[in-house]
Amino acid sequence: MGDRQHVPGGLMLGVNARPVVAKVVAPVVARLARAGVTADMVTVVGFLGAVAGAVLLIARGEFFWGVMAVTVSVLLDLLDGALARARGGGSVWGAVLDSTLDRAADASVFGALIWWFAGPGDNRLLVLLALLCLVLGLLTSYVKARAEGVGLACDVGIVERTERLIIVLVGTGLAGLGVPYAVHVALWVLLVGSAVTVGQRLATVHRAAAGRALP
């Protein structure tokens, strides 16, 4: 999106927020670098924490604490890119690993919701909504990756990874606090936003690819 930059190995952050975040995480990054911790280690730990929170808590209906666990793990995503730079720069492997585990962590949250609502939660509508959001989220990432694979930029979209996580985690967390229909609202908003984003990205690629043949 136009007002954002992507932190390699990290979340999408507003341009104005990046200096503030950098100052906050700098001392932690420096300590981790001195201790020999690598960006890949942080990436894997964050992924495992997010999956554990989703599988062990959200999938059992412990929505609030599950969201807390996933959020803490996702915030580690702010560290791995900075840590990679502190250690001399990231690697191609690190970038691929980070992106892959990000997708898997996101999928674990939606998979946990599907598991709960297909079982004890007993709500087929929410199973369907969570499944559609999961598929559309994967399509959002896939369209961008495929476009970049053929040399086209595809950074548009009203719902990218950060928005997707914020919406589903806030809705799930509020449901854990007893707010009625919080998950319903979150998943409906996410469904519409994700569908629009996929459409935006396909339209962008269609315009950019006009008259171009595959290399």
Side-chain angles (χ1 to χ4, degrees):
M1 293 169 66
D3 60 343
R4 302 202 186 178
Q5 294 180 359
H6 185 265
V7 182
L11 294 171
M12 299 288 292
L13 296 172
V15 175
N16 294 330
R18 291 183 69 195
V20 176
V21 172
K23 289 181 180 179
V24 172
V25 304
V28 178
V29 169
R31 291 191 184 93
L32 291 174
R34 287 196 297 269
V37 176
T38 67
D40 289 351
M41 291 177 186
V42 173
T43 297
V44 172
V45 169
F47 162 72
L48 293 176
V51 172
V55 173
L56 299 179
L57 294 170
I58 294 177
R60 295 172 56 195
E62 298 287 344
F63 287 172
F64 179 77
W65 294 113
V67 165
M68 291 299 101
V70 172
T71 300
V72 170
S73 300
V74 167
L75 288 177
L76 289 176
D77 216 19
L78 296 173
L79 296 178
D80 55 5
L83 185 57
R85 290 189 292 272
R87 292 175 60 87
S91 65
V92 173
W93 160 247
V96 173
L97 176 68
D98 181 74
S99 181
T100 301
L101 295 187
D102 281 352
R103 302 291 86 72
D106 297 354
S108 72
V109 174
F110 290 100
L113 289 173
I114 292 169
W115 181 270
W116 171 255
F117 288 114
D122 192 23
N123 192 315
R124 295 182 66 184
L125 174 60
L126 292 183
V127 170
L128 177 61
L129 291 177
L131 180 60
L132 290 174
C133 288
L134 171 60
V135 172
L136 287 169
L138 293 175
L139 281 176
T140 298
S141 299
Y142 177 79
V143 173
K144 179 178 180 178
R146 190 69 182 93
E148 291 177 345
V150 295
L152 300 176
C154 186
D155 294 321
V156 300
I158 61 172
V159 175
E160 299 185 87
R161 187 185 183 228
T162 302
E163 291 86 358
R164 191 159 57 244
L165 282 174
I166 289 173
I167 292 169
V168 71
L169 292 178
V170 168
T172 304
L174 289 175
L177 292 174
V179 178
Y181 299 107
V183 175
H184 295 71
V185 172
L187 292 180
W188 274 115
V189 169
L190 189 53
L191 174 64
V192 174
S194 297
V196 170
T197 298
V198 171
Q200 287 177 303
R201 292 192 168 183
L202 288 174
T204 297
V205 172
H206 182 266
R207 288 193 297 271
R212 293 184 53 171
L214 284 173

